Amino acid sequence: MDQPQKTFRRVVTGHDAEGKAIIISDAPPVHTQLIGGPGGPTFFEVWHTLEAPALIHAQPQEPDENGLMLSPPKKGTRMRVIEFPPEGEEIRKLTGTDAAAKFSAMGDEKASTSAAGAPHPLMHRTQTVDYGIVLEGEITLVLDRGEATIYTGDIVVQCGTNHAWANRSGKICRMAFILVDGQFTDEIS
């Protein structure tokens, strides 16, 4: 199995007292969390906003949050990078209770839709529009009916659908995600 890649930089900009653009911070993301122990994905929380339109402060502060949260704040956005290690037997053998516990560790146990006969044990759904960009490697997007393998440079627009990510490549896959809070219409249950 490949080792995780070097952590990336997060450059945050702002304004000085004269209103000129400056760099506020230039460092790796502050909040990083391994989910589920060895063999689980690593989440790098980049930034989130609390509302739309987002308030733009002269000196932006690190967004404060208690622990990892799967979805963005209500009416907000979230950006994260996830490193998915190759999927092993331990993932394929997860029960519904195990899957719910993994999503609970991500702050949203209710997102888990794991059930007997599901196409993947880590199926989940959130009321969000997610833009997923493969930065390195490849991964398979698993849906209720169908799947697609996406490669470096490919982009997924995930519109509140039930899904899972399966890394069947044997190498780490690194993806960037931008999540936008959403709401299902009456036609979607």
Side-chain angles (χ1 to χ4, degrees):
M1 176 187 330
D2 284 0
Q3 294 298 312
Q5 302 297 315
K6 178 182 92 136
T7 300
F8 55 91
R9 292 167 45 206
R10 179 191 68 176
V11 179
V12 179
T13 65
H15 300 85
D16 66 15
E18 288 83 43
K20 299 297 183 184
I22 61 171
I23 293 174
I24 300 293
S25 75
D26 182 347
V30 175
H31 303 288
T32 301
Q33 186 170 340
L34 175 66
I35 299 295
T42 300
F43 282 61
F44 300 87
E45 297 300 286
V46 177
W47 201 261
H48 70 269
T49 62
L50 300 175
E51 64 279 308
L55 296 178
I56 301 171
H57 299 278
Q59 299 281 314
Q61 302 276 325
E62 181 71 34
D64 189 29
E65 216 163 42
N66 266 343
L68 182 65
M69 302 304 290
L70 185 63
S71 294
K74 204 71 174 144
K75 299 186 181 183
T77 64
R78 181 175 310 284
M79 181 173 189
R80 69 169 44 108
V81 171
I82 302 177
E83 285 186 349
F84 295 95
E87 187 174 290
E89 273 303 306
E90 68 281 355
I91 296 294
R92 291 185 278 278
K93 292 180 179 180
L94 289 175
T95 66
T97 302
D98 297 334
K102 293 207 180 288
F103 283 99
S104 182
M106 294 180 244
D108 195 353
E109 181 178 353
K110 293 179 182 175
S112 178
T113 58
S114 183
H120 193 279
L122 291 175
M123 297 294 285
H124 62 285
R125 183 176 179 199
T126 56
Q127 287 193 61
T128 59
V129 174
D130 305 341
Y131 306 108
I133 305 136
V134 178
L135 301 174
E136 297 176 30
E138 67 182 67
I139 199 159
T140 301
L141 170 64
V142 180
L143 300 172
D144 292 328
R145 295 187 178 144
E147 55 183 53
T149 301
I150 53 177
Y151 303 92
T152 301
D154 290 347
I155 300 168
V156 173
V157 180
Q158 171 77 3
C159 298
T161 54
N162 194 37
H163 70 287
W165 299 103
N167 184 349
R168 302 169 180 156
S169 72
K171 298 179 181 176
I172 289 199
C173 175
R174 181 181 274 190
M175 288 185 73
F177 290 92
I178 297 96
L179 297 87
V180 180
D181 182 46
Q183 183 175 339
F184 293 134
T185 60
D186 292 340
E187 66 189 329
I188 300 173
S189 56

